[in-house]
Amino acid sequence: MFIAFNYVNAQTEIFKDNGSWFTLTNKIKVSEKLYITNVTQQRRVGFLKNTQAFLIAPSINYKISKNVSVGAGYMHYTYFPYGVIPTPIQKEETRFFQDLVLSSTLGNVKLSNRFRFEERVIELVNTNVNPNEIDGEKHANRFRYRIQATANLVKLKNDTYIMGRLSNEIRIRFETGISEPDFDQNNFAALLGYKLLPNSTVWLGYGRYYF
């Protein structure tokens, strides 16, 4: 579920949309400390009707210690003209990002704290011409903090588990440089997971994303 708020003349308009996100995450171990990841995601609205966005985000990561890792990556993000507040035409965004991840355990719960800083290059749409067209780009920065908790919930007969995961991420945008911070999004997700193979896990859950 996606919820967006638009402020007009001191009044608040609330737009709601339902969608589905399909995500494939790959991790390739290069050495004991170095690994490569890639995230591919399709975001659909109208539940499954139209593709609203598609992204691919490879990154390279290094484990400084057992509980601390750093990384850097690139994301290509495509917006499609679907949803309750759609972009007028298809447009592209390029992001460069840097991560710091702190991991810990609390009992049988694995905790992960991810700090991410993004540099974004977003295409601008000129709506004063017909048909609309891409006319330049803007630059923006954003800080993201995600806390995630994962635990085994139910043990099955074949010594595998149904796992549970709670995740919440807040995003703060910066209009100019790193000044003028402003709230951008809060993304919450609750998921159930099952390990299909030693190196493969499937997750299914519910997300609420507030813009």
Side-chain angles (χ1 to χ4, degrees):
M1 179 172 66
F2 308 91
I3 299 178
F5 288 82
N6 185 27
Y7 295 90
V8 181
N9 296 328
Q11 295 181 346
T12 302
E13 291 187 65
I14 301 176
F15 301 88
K16 295 185 179 181
D17 206 353
N18 293 312
S20 301
W21 290 14
F22 300 92
T23 307
L24 177 65
T25 303
N26 305 107
K27 180 179 178 180
I28 301 172
K29 186 177 179 181
V30 179
S31 68
E32 289 300 317
K33 290 185 176 293
L34 188 67
Y35 59 96
I36 296 171
T37 63
N38 181 66
V39 176
T40 303
Q41 186 177 83
Q42 182 188 41
R43 302 179 181 181
R44 299 183 69 87
V45 291
F47 190 63
L48 292 171
K49 186 177 181 182
N50 296 305
T51 297
Q52 184 186 47
F54 182 84
L55 66 89
I56 183 169
S59 66
I60 186 167
N61 307 271
Y62 183 79
K63 293 187 70 172
I64 297 175
S65 67
K66 179 182 177 182
N67 297 322
V68 181
S69 64
V70 294
Y74 163 86
M75 179 185 293
H76 186 266
Y77 192 110
T78 302
Y79 298 82
F80 296 95
Y82 299 106
V84 292
I85 311 179
T87 179
I89 58 174
Q90 180 178 325
K91 68 176 185 178
E92 312 293 327
E93 176 181 342
T94 297
R95 300 179 192 173
F96 300 93
F97 59 87
Q98 303 81 43
D99 290 338
L100 170 65
V101 180
L102 307 178
S103 303
S104 60
T105 57
L106 183 62
N108 68 339
V109 178
K110 295 181 180 180
L111 297 174
S112 171
N113 294 273
R114 188 185 72 182
F115 304 84
R116 171 174 288 184
F117 195 80
E118 296 178 322
E119 300 82 43
R120 308 169 65 193
V121 181
I122 308 167
E123 289 185 337
L124 296 175
V125 178
N126 185 351
T127 58
N128 295 319
V129 296
N130 190 18
N132 297 161
E133 61 182 27
I134 301 299
D135 185 13
E137 58 190 27
K138 71 173 182 178
H139 297 258
N141 295 312
R142 186 164 62 181
F143 172 75
R144 299 164 57 165
Y145 167 67
R146 185 191 71 187
I147 182 169
Q148 185 171 273
T150 306
N152 293 329
L153 299 181
V154 180
K155 186 176 182 179
L156 304 177
K157 292 183 179 180
N158 57 354
D159 289 330
T160 59
Y161 289 87
I162 299 296
M163 297 174 289
R165 173 172 290 172
L166 294 176
S167 175
N168 194 78
E169 181 179 69
I170 186 169
R171 306 184 185 190
I172 304 296
R173 63 175 174 258
F174 302 88
E175 294 298 333
T176 56
I178 57 172
S179 63
E180 302 180 13
D182 192 17
F183 172 80
D184 186 50
Q185 296 181 40
N186 189 84
N187 296 350
F188 170 80
L191 305 131
L192 293 176
Y194 178 74
K195 188 176 289 293
L196 296 174
L197 298 169
N199 63 347
S200 301
T201 304
V202 61
W203 294 92
L204 178 68
Y206 166 82
R208 184 180 187 275
Y209 306 105
Y210 173 87
F211 298 75

